[in-house]
């Protein structure tokens, strides 16, 4: 009896916590309403089953409690009950999976007109690279990373000369255009996450991952690393500033290109020396 009351109380407290909790999704700032829909459907399906199953358990404990003169009877199989359980479990699982699959299909299908930006993660900061006027990112190699070439750009690749390098962890993007974010890590696993954008993806050393989104409102949003990546993981934050197109173009035009930075560093361009010729 006490257990039945405790289970019913837990259900009611859980519902109250959900209704009164201040911790809810931040207002959406991208096209990913379908991810919110998937989250809501998951919450509702799990919530309904959580309440129904636990209340049934509490009811059964109360209804079939031990009483003098009552005897349990052995009923090992019930075809009707098993059929119902199978059907309703299948409906529940399908309802959980379907919205996620629809959202995932959109998530992995990048629009052809998406503009590209690269986000580079390292312990414990972000930096960013835009392709420049030619629209193509130059090739990179971790072995080429030096204090003067923090992105590891290949100095012999003509596509890399005009790449725009943002060495601060604040990046600007224009509102209303699809953006493909290429994700590259210099060291360990990181995860690019902007709560208001919803989209997040792991950065995996040795490969390039990606995600895409269309910013739908201007503002400054926090970029987080959502993968425990070392002792200072919590400091790995950045800022995503969504501007209207003219303000974005003005900001972008102030960022240096790889060619400008190498010239500043006093290196003759193009630089053909390999910092580790023997490796
Ligand atoms: Cu990290």
């Amino acid at each position: 009896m006490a257990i039945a009351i405790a289970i019913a109380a837990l259900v009611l407290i859980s519902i109250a916590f959900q209704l009164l909790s201040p911790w809810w999704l931040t207002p959406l700032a991208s096209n990913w309403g379908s991810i919110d829909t998937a989250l809501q459907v998951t919450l509702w399906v799990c919530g309904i089953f959580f309440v129904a199953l636990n209340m049934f358990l509490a009811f059964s404990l109360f209804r079939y409690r031990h009483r003098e003169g009552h005897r349990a009877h052995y009923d090992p199989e019930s075809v009707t009950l098993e059929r119902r359980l199978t059907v309703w479990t299948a409906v529940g699982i399908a309802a959980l999976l379907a919205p996620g699959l629809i959202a995932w299909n959109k998530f992995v299908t990048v629009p052809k007109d998406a503009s590209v930006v690269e986000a580079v993660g390292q312990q414990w900061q972000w930096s960013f690279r835009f392709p420049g006027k030619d629209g193509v990112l130059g090739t990179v190699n971790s072995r080429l990373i030096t204090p003067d070439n923090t992105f590891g750009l290949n100095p012999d690749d003509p596509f890399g000369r005009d790449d725009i390098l943002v060495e601060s962890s604040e990046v600007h993007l224009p509102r209303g255009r699809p953006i493909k974010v290429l994700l590259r890590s210099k060291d360990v696993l990181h995860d690019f996450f902007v709560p208001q954008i919803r989209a997040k993806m792991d950065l995996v050393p040795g490969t390039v991952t990606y995600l895409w989104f269309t910013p739908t409102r201007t503002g400054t949003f926090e970029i987080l690393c959502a993968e425990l990546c070392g002792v200072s993981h919590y400091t790995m934050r950045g800022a995503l500033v969504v501007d209207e197109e003219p303000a974005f173009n003005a900001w972008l035009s102030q960022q240096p290109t790889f060619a400008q930075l190498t010239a500043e560093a006093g290196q003759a361009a193009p630089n053909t020396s390999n910092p580790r010729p023997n490796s």
Side-chain angles (χ1 to χ4, degrees), residues 28 55 101 256:
L28 184 67
M55 286 314 224
L101 286 176

Side-chain angles (χ1 to χ4, degrees), residues 52-100:
L53 291 175
N54 281 292
M55 286 314 224
F56 174 71
L57 185 61
F59 168 77
S60 301
L61 283 171
F62 170 74
R63 177 74 178 77
Y64 303 107
R65 68 190 182 281
H66 173 71
R67 280 167 294 170
E68 283 304 325
H70 286 74
R71 247 185 100 78
H73 89 107
Y74 183 55
D75 190 7
E77 275 185 42
S78 165
V79 175
T80 321
L81 190 61
E82 277 173 19
R83 270 202 199 120
R84 280 183 199 162
L85 275 176
T86 308
V87 168
W88 286 109
T89 308
V91 169
I93 302 267
L96 284 175
L97 288 179

